[in-house]
Amino acid sequence: MEWNYANKNHSTIINEKNGVVYLTFPKLAAAGVRHGFSTRMGGVSKGYLGTMNLSFTRGDREENVRENFRRIADAIGFREEQLVFSAQVHETKIRKVTAANRGEGITKETAPGIDGLATDEADVPLYTSYADCVPLLFYDPQKKVVAMAHSGWRGTAARIGAKMVHFMEKEYGSRAENIIAAVGPSICRKCYEVSEDVAQAFREAFRPEQFPLLFDEKGQGKYQLDLWEANRIILTEAGILPEHLDVTDLCTCCNHDKLFSHRASHGKRGNMGCFMCLDAETE
Ligand SMILES: [Zn+2]
């Protein structure tokens, strides 16, 4: 399998089980937390939804999506009927989830307008969805908390990653320096051309000396924007230690045969899922 790597930082582990290919992140994997980011490989969906579409609302047959969830759940190791879904709207609302919410999104309605999920309870697998936007994953091994945030350009400009760190501190007593995090597969700087309005949102959210790290101005109101670097800055400024953070080396658009990319497909695409779940203590 030939991947197009954006850099050589080896921040993604490629896993495969029964033909289902999914990605994990070295620091989270070393900490022993169950997590994974799906690819297009190993599902039953057809055409541009092929093969591992994890959205019920992009024109796929419901039984295909259900089978895809069964397969990715089996590969990563959680029960799909227990999943709790986000309901992403490119805002920054974060929801504290418990066992009482199991199944919301897959067997019953979930709360609307949620771009971040967190839980400190075992066997409550969390699901957020992607096709170029940035997945942020968080794990506090001290307080046993998992959390994810959907950080597209709007969420990044609104610093949802920092908001999640503060949420974990407030709700669970986490300390930022204990949190292990990852910035997952999403669109890279070379692939992500944006317009003046987006650049302006980033000028307002960051300091002028940071602008060269974040975007290149190409003229005529066009920019190449770096959401990976933006989220790295946001998370480290929120107190996450660089040695506790993996920043992806895989672009969804550069690998659109293996990953769904909204940009590369002009919107004709399925959704990938990012999953995290705490295991019950065994002793
Ligand atoms: Zn790219």
Side-chain angles (χ1 to χ4, degrees), residues 6 186-192 228 251-255:
S186 39
I187 195 163
C188 79
R189 183 179 187 130
K190 276 192 209 132
C191 291
Y192 197 37
W228 301 352
C251 166
T252 43
C253 191
C254 290
N255 292 282

Side-chain angles (χ1 to χ4, degrees), residues 231-252:
N231 279 291
R232 191 191 63 74
I233 290 170
I234 288 165
L235 295 180
T236 52
E237 285 184 353
I240 290 182
L241 303 176
E243 61 267 33
H244 288 170
L245 177 63
D246 278 316
V247 179
T248 192
D249 51 10
L250 285 178
C251 166
T252 43

